[in-house]
């Protein structure tokens, strides 16, 4: 399934991208801003449930920042680690640490069952996913709920809706949020896409409705 976006002129597109880059540059978070965001996320979880101990389902600097913030808030922390990360700083900083598997992330940091088991064994009340890994997995957020563990983040429904570009675009449109007009309907036949492209005007951009990876649009 693809989504067609409007781009009437290359010069207009270049201006738009330049503005986006400029906005991104001015809005980049400082370490202090990120710490505030982490603290607000934890506070939100605390408000919904008494979280005196949380597990951080991440590693490296991301986990370290969450641990520092949790410590300031009087919350105990549990780290998880793969074999190569056994001596990592986040493991030393946390109050407890659990091995969750070998080097492969699929067998460790993306292993939902092992992380849930570590949380239950340690008595952690909540799981902070950090960035990447399981932070955008609605299945993991639901698994946390099913096991009585608070997922410090959006609801499974919100994660799912925002992860599907066509769905999120429809939701934003209904909410009155300005969006780039285009076609993101269910009919993805070649004939329908050609017809919609002609309505939009060339050049057009075709984007997968799922996935990410930080790929950038570019012209030849």
């Amino acid at each position: 399934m693809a989504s067609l976006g409007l781009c009437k002129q290359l010069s207009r597109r270049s201006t738009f991208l330049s503005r986006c880059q400029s906005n991104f540059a001015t809005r980049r978070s400082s370490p202090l801003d990120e710490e505030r965001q982490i603290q607000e996320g934890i506070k939100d979880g605390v408000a919904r449930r008494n979280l005196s101990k949380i597990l951080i389902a991440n590693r490296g600097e991301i986990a370290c920042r969450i641990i520092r913030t949790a410590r300031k808030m009087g919350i105990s922390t549990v780290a998880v680690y793969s074999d190569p990360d056994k001596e990592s700083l986040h493991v030393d900083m946390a109050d407890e640490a659990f091995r969750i598997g070998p080097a492969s992330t699929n067998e460790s940091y993306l292993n939902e069952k092992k992380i849930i088991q570590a949380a239950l064994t340690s008595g952690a009340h909540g799981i902070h996913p950090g960035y990447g890994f399981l932070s955008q997995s609605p299945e993991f957020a639901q698994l946390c709920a099913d096991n009585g563990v608070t997922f410090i983040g959006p609801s499974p429904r919100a994660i799912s809706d925002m992860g599907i570009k066509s769905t999120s675009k429809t939701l934003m449109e209904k909410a009155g949020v300005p969006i780039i007009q285009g076609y993101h309907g269910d009919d993805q036949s070649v004939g329908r896409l050609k017809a919609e492209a002609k309505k939009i005007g060339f050049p057009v951009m075709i984007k997968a409705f799922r996935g990410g990876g930080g790929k950038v649009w570019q012209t030849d």
Side-chain angles (χ1 to χ4, degrees), residues 79-98:
V80 292
Y81 62 90
S82 63
D83 290 338
D85 296 327
K86 184 178 181 180
E87 305 298 328
S88 294
L89 180 59
H90 77 282
V91 176
D92 292 333
M93 288 179 62
D95 298 300
E96 301 173 53
F98 286 78

Side-chain angles (χ1 to χ4, degrees), residues 115-136:
I115 291 175
I116 289 291
Q117 186 58 53
L120 295 176
T121 301
S122 67
H125 306 119
I127 294 179
H128 196 309
Y131 302 101
F133 288 139
L134 296 171
S135 64
Q136 298 180 46

